[in-house]
Every structure is written in C-alpha cells, then in structure tokens.
Amino acid sequence: MTAAPTRDETRFQELIDRDEKIEPTDWMPDGYRKTLIRQIAQHAHSEVIGMQPEGNWITRAPTLRRKAILMAKVQDEAGHGLYLYSAAETLGVSRHELVDLLHQGKHKYSSIFNYPTLTWADVGAIGWLVDGAAITNQVMLTRCSYGPYARAMVRICKEESFHQRQGYEILLALCRGTEEQKAMAQDAVNRWWWPALMMFGPPDTDSTHTEQSMAWKIKRVSNDDLRQQFVDMTVPQAEYLGLTLPDPDLRWNEERGHYDFGQIDWDEFWDVVKGNGPMNRERLEHKVRAWEENAWVREAALAYEAKQRQRKVAV
C-alpha cells in the first residue's frame, strides 16, 4: 500500500500542477534537487568549456571588428557559466564543489565542445548551428519549474540569439566571397551538422532523465521534438546561404509537415560522452591548468573581501 503524500509533497505537486515556480526556500523532493543540480551543473560547465573552441580564434580573427565581436561572445559565455553556477548554489551545492567534480571528470559537459575548430568558418558554424541548437533547447528552460534556473535562462537566451546571428553573418560573408571561402564554409558545416544534432541528447527511447524531468516540468519538450524543431528551422537558413547540409536523407515530408533526416551516429555520441572525442582530454586539461595557474586571482579576491570586512567592523 502506497503511503499518503505528506503536506510538503502535496504542496510541491500543487505548485508544479499550477505552473508556479519552485523557489529555493520551498520544500522539494531529493530527486528533484539532484536532477536540477546535475542539469544546471552540466549546463554551466558547458558554457565555460565552450569558451575554448572559439577563444582559440580570438588572436586570429580576420578583422578588428570580428575580433571585438568574438571577444564579446566568449565573455558572454563566461557570464552564462557564472549565472548558472549561482543558480545551482541555491540548491545547496557550492560552486567549488561543482568545479572540482568537473576537474575530476565526474561531471559532464556538452559533447559538442570536444570537436576542434580548424578554420575561421568553424566560428561561424558554431554560432549558427551550435548556438542555434542551444537556443532551441534553452528557450523552453525559461519556463522551467525551478525559479532561479528559469530566470537565469531569460538573459542567456537573449545573448545566445545574438551569438547565433553573429555566426550566421560570418557564414553569409564567406558564402558571398570567393569560391575558396564558400568551400571553407561548406567544410565547416559538414563537420558541425551531426554533432549539433547530437546536442539535444539521446533519442527519447534511450533517455534516462527526460520522462521524469518533464513530469517535474524542468524540461518542457522532449529531446526528439527539440531536434525536429531545430532541423525544421535550420534547413531554410542553409538554403538561403547556398550551403548543403551533409545528409542525403534530408527532405521535406508533406504528410508530417516536417523535414525527415537521416540516422544519427549514436555510437560516436556515446564515445565522445565517455571521454574519447577528438578534444576531450585537451579541453579538460586546459580548464584544470587555467584553474591552477590563476589560483592567485581567487586568493587575492578573498583577501580583499576579508580586508573590507575588517574595515567595516572597525568602523
């Protein structure tokens, strides 16, 4: 016989059912808290690790304007990570704990950031495809049932929209340039298309978290439905650019009212998730090295904060 729900459990479910926000001071099930910590931490880690592929091109951007825009974008990603770590901290976990788990390889970040940026066109492809996929996934998170996460996502989505347009504009300039420039753009899209589709996570039939996350309204749309939205949005944009998406099975399905697309290589996806992607080791080593080499900055900030507190007490 199933035990009757407690008063706290009843109130929690009522808030979920009414589409009201769960706040840090509200009671919540342990599973809900753990799911949020896992998801928000992975999201935060992805924003911070995601600075590396494009940061690789800041010193080599073709013009001063491109350099300034790219620097602003990478700075935005750092800010996104900070918003998200702050949101996670409202769940009772410290930022230092989350970073330590990432450095130990016990926490994951998005598989997409384990691919190399070989040419300047990759910066455009990341902006258009990767940030486009991120927006598709993240807009629904502005309606997440957990208040701090949902509110953080409002600003993040606005900034990601700028990033997506910036990437598309890079590819548009390349496609309107020389034959070599358009070929470079096509090559970048060929390499980033499938990893971008993998960003939405495994098929719904293989996802271990989607069903419960949707029941708690942490997620609002399933992995497969989000992936379909992204494909439907992106195909016309590719046609305008004059680029071919690398999928021979991609075609409009009149009956479904959606584009059909080919089979994703899920073996590759899981291989990257397990740490065997082209850049897994380099990305994490770079992150740990930066953390260790810049420890003095954190120490100086803490020392300054302590000094300011002493002055306030003295006054």
Side-chain angles (χ1 to χ4, degrees), residues 71-91:
M71 288 176 67
K73 180 185 178 184
V74 173
Q75 181 175 301
D76 283 348
E77 306 296 0
H80 297 173
L82 294 178
Y83 305 152
L84 293 164
Y85 283 131
S86 295
E89 285 180 315
T90 66
L91 293 160

Side-chain angles (χ1 to χ4, degrees), residues 209-222:
H209 303 291
T210 294
E211 185 176 355
Q212 183 59 72
S213 291
M214 291 184 69
W216 279 328
K217 298 184 180 179
I218 295 173
K219 287 186 68 169
R220 296 288 186 145
V221 186
S222 72

Side-chain angles (χ1 to χ4, degrees), residues 41 99 141 199 281 306:
V99 171
L141 293 176
M199 281 182 67
R281 182 176 299 176

